[in-house]
Amino acid sequence: MAWICAGIADYYSGLDVAPVRVIVTVVSVFTGGTAALAYLAAWLIISGEGEKTSIAQGILGKKLIA
C-alpha cells in the first residue's frame, strides 16, 4: 500500500502504520473492493509528502485544482 496509510497513521499521531494497513485491507474485503477503489483514487489524487504534484497531475501534465 502506498503512503496513504502512513499519512493516516501520522495524522493520528501515535498509531503504527501496520494496523492501519490491516484495517484498510479488511474494510476493502468487506465492501467488495469499494474501499480499495477509494484508496486508489486517494493515491492518485493526493500528492505525497514533500511533493508538489500528485500522480494524476503528473500524468495529465496540468493542475487539477487551482
Side-chain angles (χ1 to χ4, degrees):
M1 295 185 171
W3 43 266
I4 300 292
C5 290
I8 292 170
D10 187 45
Y11 181 78
Y12 296 103
S13 59
L15 288 180
D16 186 35
V17 71
V20 175
R21 288 179 175 151
V22 170
I23 291 168
V24 168
T25 303
V26 169
V27 170
S28 292
V29 169
F30 283 121
T31 61
T34 304
L37 289 175
Y39 183 88
L40 177 64
W43 180 63
L44 289 172
I45 295 170
I46 300 171
S47 60
E49 185 176 351
E51 296 181 16
K52 297 195 185 288
T53 61
S54 68
I55 294 171
Q57 288 171 328
I59 291 171
L60 297 175
K62 59 183 176 181
K63 284 188 169 185
L64 295 175
I65 300 173

